[in-house]
Amino acid sequence: MSKKPEILQQHIVAQSRLFTVEALDMRFSNGVERTYERLVPGGHGAVMMVPITEDGHILLIKEYGAGVEGYTLTLPKGAIDLGEEMMDAANRELKEEIGFGARQLDHLKKMSLSPSYMKSGIDVIIAQDLYPESLPGDEPEPLEVVSWPMDRIFELVMRGDMTEGRAIAALYLAQDWLNQPARQLNGSH
């Protein structure tokens, strides 16, 4: 299984304002041929931030999710604009969504969203040393900012309105990252 399948043909089968669906005709090393469909990103990447206050709280947002037809509690996130650096996008999105910028931004991990069906991913970033600053955002209504103690993550992820898998993964990654001995010795909490 170490040999990647050969892509015989790829073409766009559907396109909307937000999504492009691409079909891939593939041949696997054992000769089996299949057609797969995937969503192709239209932008320049995306970022999700875990903003942590000086007193050890995470700042989350409550926003409407059309996919689940309800309000969800999640982390601030957004697209990277053309020509924008990842950390600049992270700081811009923080200012737009929670009204804070961050003096310290650390990249944790690039995560795929659904590797079988999506080509895109999201970069998870820890945001610390926060300071108040707001920028106008593109949300249709103001976002509610919710502060939650970092030491109560399990209680947070068990809430009925906290359902986004990538946000849950990012919270646990951040918790482990912050608990690394090197961070504790350097006092960067």
Side-chain angles (χ1 to χ4, degrees), residues 18-109:
L18 295 176
F19 301 105
T20 298
V21 181
E22 181 181 60
L24 297 171
D25 296 327
M26 304 179 75
R27 180 180 302 125
F28 289 79
S29 60
N30 63 358
V32 173
E33 293 185 11
R34 291 267 162 80
T35 299
Y36 285 84
E37 292 181 351
R38 67 179 180 189
L39 292 175
V40 180
H44 307 282
V47 289
M48 174 177 275
M49 289 68 63
V50 183
I52 302 169
T53 65
E54 195 173 292
D55 64 350
H57 281 68
I58 306 155
L59 297 180
L60 302 120
I61 56 171
K62 187 168 261 199
E63 67 179 342
Y64 186 76
V68 295
E69 297 180 15
Y71 285 90
T72 61
L73 194 56
T74 188
L75 291 166
K77 61 193 165 301
I80 299 171
D81 292 339
L82 177 64
E84 189 176 38
E85 296 295 324
M86 177 181 20
M87 295 305 191
D88 293 334
N91 225 359
R92 176 184 49 76
E93 287 291 342
L94 287 169
K95 293 171 187 177
E96 291 176 2
E97 295 192 358
I98 64 168
F100 284 91
R103 290 184 189 92
Q104 182 180 342
L105 295 165
D106 292 288
H107 184 262
L108 287 184
K109 182 172 182 60

